[in-house]
Amino acid sequence: MKKLKVLFSDISLVLRRNHIVIVIFIMCASISTACVLTFMSKFKDELTYLEEVEKNKRKYNIAFLKDDVGENEFNIEYVNKLFEGFPKVINMQLIEEERYAYYAQCEFERELEHEEIKKINSIVKYEIYALYSLDDASNSVEHRFIITIILLVFLLVAFNTLNLNRYLIQKNKYRFKIYKLCGAGKLFTLSIMYTIPIVITAISFGLGTLIYKLFLFGFFKKFDTTLLMLSPNLVYITFFANIVFCFILLLPTALSVMKREVL
């Protein structure tokens, strides 16, 4: 109980002495967080798209003559035996069966080289078609650029939070010396250092989420009907990523303060 009283009094002290800086920061961080969540609403499927594009590099539409298949059962084992010496087919889907041929989509364990494609063409007697196209390559570059922008904005918000939290710890480091003199343990002192930063991070993210849901999403939805509200799970994951990011990057500062000798 005494530790809780000390913790709450410490929080009250920090808030009273730094309330202007903290309020200004929370306002800016909340708006930035809302903007990041709005970007994610539009481009949250970019990573899924890129993953599919990477898979398409390994996928090819191939026709197999029924006369060549003969009495064999047409399955992935037959295809791998036919393409022995080439990259293994790890997945195969029958697209269409006609009177003279099977048309299948084959996913190899890696992208085929030009010479390998030519050799497979000669084996099946048909030209094989790659699912990966120049348009996919162009779109992939665009999607990677968008993801980079989102990450940069996210990191900007995170580093601003980090700088404020470092400021609060450095400015009030004398308090931690007093706690040490009074016999406070390392774990308790560390928890006091982290309480305010984590509370500020949580409050700014929570307000940012409200701004996103109540204002920004509806505003941008008028201009882009493809905008989709983020699922609660994705919001929770982003929130906990913020907390973990805050905890890890503040650790060197907190440990350096903890190691200082009490004079």
Side-chain angles (χ1 to χ4, degrees), residues 165-181 184-186 189-190 193 250-263:
N165 294 332
R166 281 177 175 168
Y167 165 78
L168 292 176
I169 290 177
Q170 295 289 353
K171 181 183 178 183
N172 300 281
K173 58 189 176 184
Y174 71 91
R175 297 189 344 271
F176 308 125
K177 292 183 179 181
I178 294 174
Y179 293 139
K180 286 183 182 180
L181 285 171
K186 291 183 178 180
T189 307
L190 200 63
M193 288 186 194
L250 267 182
L251 198 56
T253 303
L255 291 178
S256 67
V257 173
M258 290 281 292
K259 290 178 181 177
R260 288 173 185 163
E261 296 295 331
V262 179
L263 300 177

Side-chain angles (χ1 to χ4, degrees), residues 232-250:
N233 288 339
L234 192 55
V235 175
Y236 294 147
I237 291 171
T238 308
F239 169 72
F240 285 113
N242 267 273
I243 297 295
V244 172
F245 191 83
C246 169
F247 181 87
I248 293 175
L249 290 189
L250 267 182

Side-chain angles (χ1 to χ4, degrees), residues 189-216:
T189 307
L190 200 63
S191 66
I192 289 178
M193 288 186 194
Y194 268 106
T195 299
I196 288 293
I198 289 179
V199 167
I200 290 174
T201 302
I203 291 174
S204 60
F205 188 89
L207 289 176
T209 303
L210 287 176
I211 294 172
Y212 156 72
K213 288 187 173 181
L214 299 178
F215 301 104
L216 278 188

Side-chain angles (χ1 to χ4, degrees), residues 75-123:
N75 53 28
I76 193 169
E77 287 78 15
Y78 166 79
V79 172
N80 276 319
K81 186 176 180 180
L82 182 66
F83 294 158
E84 189 174 358
F86 294 96
K88 187 177 179 180
V89 176
I90 59 175
N91 191 22
M92 187 179 78
Q93 179 181 356
L94 182 63
I95 300 173
E96 187 178 356
E97 179 181 353
E98 292 188 351
R99 182 178 177 184
Y100 298 105
Y102 297 103
Y103 296 90
Q105 184 182 101
C106 298
E107 181 182 352
F108 292 83
E109 58 187 355
R110 64 167 173 81
E111 185 179 1
L112 297 177
E113 298 177 0
H114 182 66
E115 288 302 318
E116 291 172 332
I117 291 176
K118 288 176 63 177
K119 290 178 181 178
I120 291 178
N121 282 337
S122 64
I123 292 173

Side-chain angles (χ1 to χ4, degrees), residues 8-252:
F8 284 122
S9 64
D10 187 83
I11 293 173
S12 176
L13 177 65
V14 174
L15 292 178
R16 285 199 309 269
R17 294 190 173 184
N18 305 276
H19 64 278
I20 296 177
V21 174
I22 291 174
V23 168
I24 292 174
F25 168 80
I26 288 178
M27 290 174 60
C28 296
S30 299
I31 294 172
S32 300
T33 300
C35 292
V36 171
L37 293 176
T38 305
F39 270 108
M40 290 175 64
S41 293
K42 176 62 179 175
F43 303 111
K44 65 184 178 65
D45 295 325
E46 303 300 306
L47 290 174
T48 304
Y49 173 81
L50 288 176
E51 185 179 350
E52 289 301 317
V53 168
E54 288 301 313
K55 283 185 179 180
N56 284 345
K57 288 183 178 181
R58 308 191 302 265
K59 291 181 179 180
Y60 300 83
N61 288 340
I62 307 176
F64 299 84
L65 286 173
K66 285 190 174 180
D67 288 344
D68 292 340
V69 176
E71 298 299 322
N72 296 299
E73 183 179 356
F74 182 69
N75 53 28
I76 193 169
E77 287 78 15
Y78 166 79
V79 172
N80 276 319
K81 186 176 180 180
L82 182 66
F83 294 158
E84 189 174 358
F86 294 96
K88 187 177 179 180
V89 176
I90 59 175
N91 191 22
M92 187 179 78
Q93 179 181 356
L94 182 63
I95 300 173
E96 187 178 356
E97 179 181 353
E98 292 188 351
R99 182 178 177 184
Y100 298 105
Y102 297 103
Y103 296 90
Q105 184 182 101
C106 298
E107 181 182 352
F108 292 83
E109 58 187 355
R110 64 167 173 81
E111 185 179 1
L112 297 177
E113 298 177 0
H114 182 66
E115 288 302 318
E116 291 172 332
I117 291 176
K118 288 176 63 177
K119 290 178 181 178
I120 291 178
N121 282 337
S122 64
I123 292 173
V124 299
K125 303 180 182 67
Y126 279 105
E127 184 177 356
I128 71 174
Y129 294 94
L131 268 68
Y132 187 75
S133 65
L134 292 177
D135 288 338
D136 289 327
S138 176
N139 291 335
S140 178
V141 172
E142 180 182 338
H143 282 62
R144 290 180 192 278
F145 176 75
I146 292 170
I147 291 172
T148 302
I149 294 297
I150 294 173
L151 290 176
L152 288 175
V153 175
F154 180 80
L155 288 175
L156 179 63
V157 176
F159 277 114
N160 284 336
T161 307
L162 176 66
N163 288 332
L164 172 71
N165 294 332
R166 281 177 175 168
Y167 165 78
L168 292 176
I169 290 177
Q170 295 289 353
K171 181 183 178 183
N172 300 281
K173 58 189 176 184
Y174 71 91
R175 297 189 344 271
F176 308 125
K177 292 183 179 181
I178 294 174
Y179 293 139
K180 286 183 182 180
L181 285 171
C182 294
K186 291 183 178 180
L187 186 60
F188 179 68
T189 307
L190 200 63
S191 66
I192 289 178
M193 288 186 194
Y194 268 106
T195 299
I196 288 293
I198 289 179
V199 167
I200 290 174
T201 302
I203 291 174
S204 60
F205 188 89
L207 289 176
T209 303
L210 287 176
I211 294 172
Y212 156 72
K213 288 187 173 181
L214 299 178
F215 301 104
L216 278 188
F217 179 81
F219 175 77
F220 284 103
K221 183 74 173 178
K222 296 176 182 178
F223 303 98
D224 187 353
T225 55
T226 64
L227 209 63
L228 295 175
M229 179 73 76
L230 293 178
S231 67
N233 288 339
L234 192 55
V235 175
Y236 294 147
I237 291 171
T238 308
F239 169 72
F240 285 113
N242 267 273
I243 297 295
V244 172
F245 191 83
C246 169
F247 181 87
I248 293 175
L249 290 189
L250 267 182
L251 198 56

